[in-house]
Amino acid sequence: MSKVWFVTGSSRGLGRAFVEAALSRGDRVAATARNAENLAALVAAHGDAVLPLPLDVTDRAAVDRGVRQAHAHFGRLDVIVNNAGYGLSGAVEELSEELLRDQLDTNLFGPLRVVQAALPLLRAQGSGHIVQISSVAGVAAFPLGGGYCASKWALEGLSEALAQEVAGFGVKVTVVEPGSYATDATASAVRAGADPHYDALRDAFAAYAQSLDLGDPAAAGRALLRLVDAEQPPLRVFFGTQGHPMVQQVYADRLTTWAAWAELSVEAHGPTVPAS
């Protein structure tokens, strides 16, 4: 049976690839973007299978309205893809509170608004799959990305709790953690004011970024189809080749550190006190 999708951030990048993959196999999609005119080519190519919706995920009223409109138009919603987001570059010392609040408003509170708008509908129909687009940076932090990592780590924790809360309603949750892809993500990226103390680190990280093997967004779109068709989809999955090797080292280092300091952990517990 074909699926009905609701996808945020559909105008370009991975979001566009997800929408095109769904439409290519005959699914129907409520595609959202801050500027719905950027979705015109999708409508021209796929006609009534696409419902283009203007949507800024920082606007709760607009999110509620868009989810209700999509549900009324198609009669159901099967897959919710929280893809809208942007990158924030800057050392923690360089971040203003306003920059960090704006980052969280889009990357964390945006998905929260969509989930809260969609859940009553998914619960009523007894099914649905919420896909949260996180990042490799949601499990492994990197320098000059503290604000972005904070938004994705928070999304990961929120989503893990959500998955446990809604499983009894027949609703599935998957956190997708993409690596680097050949998209124009930098077009929406924000950079904090540059402190020269971090220039050498910036140069080193830029060189590292240039060395990465970028993934194909179309391949990510095809992979997402397999994911949402799975009877038992994973809670977390990497997209691309970078995440798994990276996280193996990250978790090995964490386990080593925790073990090395285990004696202190026990000391910090103090005398055992019976639970009242």
Side-chain angles (χ1 to χ4, degrees):
M1 184 179 74
S2 66
K3 290 180 168 64
V4 176
W5 299 56
F6 185 94
V7 184
T8 67
S10 300
S11 62
R12 61 175 181 262
L14 288 180
R16 186 61 163 249
F18 297 152
V19 170
E20 290 175 343
L23 292 170
S24 70
R25 69 168 191 180
D27 288 357
R28 294 172 293 168
V29 181
T32 80
R34 283 181 295 176
N35 184 354
E37 292 181 0
N38 293 330
L39 305 172
L42 287 173
V43 177
H46 299 280
D48 293 342
V50 183
L51 174 64
L53 294 173
L55 180 62
D56 182 344
V57 296
T58 66
D59 183 340
R60 177 174 284 278
V63 169
D64 290 342
R65 185 168 57 249
V67 170
R68 289 196 305 269
Q69 185 177 347
H71 186 266
H73 183 83
F74 289 121
R76 63 182 295 111
L77 294 174
D78 301 302
V79 182
I80 308 295
V81 182
N82 275 310
N83 171 75
Y86 67 92
L88 172 61
S89 173
V92 170
E93 186 179 359
E94 297 171 329
L95 297 178
S96 68
E97 291 185 11
E98 181 181 8
L99 282 174
L100 185 54
R101 286 195 186 98
D102 288 347
Q103 175 84 132
L104 294 172
D105 198 19
T106 296
N107 290 11
L108 174 63
F109 289 102
L112 173 66
R113 296 179 186 106
V114 174
V115 165
Q116 291 181 335
L119 258 181
L121 303 172
L122 303 184
R123 185 169 56 244
Q125 69 190 26
S127 65
H129 193 168
I130 298 170
V131 179
Q132 310 277 59
I133 305 302
S134 178
S135 168
V136 170
V139 291
F142 56 87
L144 307 178
Y148 180 72
C149 293
S151 72
K152 294 303 186 181
W153 282 50
L155 180 64
E156 297 253 348
L158 186 83
S159 302
E160 184 168 329
L162 173 68
Q164 298 172 64
E165 294 162 357
V166 302
F169 306 141
V171 178
K172 303 167 184 175
V173 177
T174 297
V175 181
V176 173
E177 297 151 337
S180 298
Y181 276 81
T183 67
D184 57 350
T186 56
S188 60
V190 173
R191 175 174 291 182
D195 183 324
H197 290 93
Y198 299 98
D199 285 350
L201 188 58
R202 246 183 294 277
D203 292 343
F205 190 78
Y208 166 74
Q210 289 293 322
S211 72
L212 293 175
D213 182 17
L214 302 181
D216 177 6
R222 294 189 295 271
L224 189 61
L225 296 182
R226 287 190 57 191
L227 184 69
V228 301
D229 288 344
E231 289 189 17
Q232 299 293 331
L235 171 60
R236 286 183 171 86
V237 62
F238 289 117
F239 271 20
T241 59
Q242 297 154 7
H244 194 237
M246 181 187 301
V247 82
Q248 285 181 301
Q249 186 60 54
V250 167
Y251 275 89
D253 291 344
R254 290 176 185 173
L255 289 169
T256 298
T257 300
W258 282 323
W261 289 88
E263 182 180 350
L264 182 69
S265 302
V266 173
E267 178 185 330
H269 184 76
T272 299
V273 179
S276 57

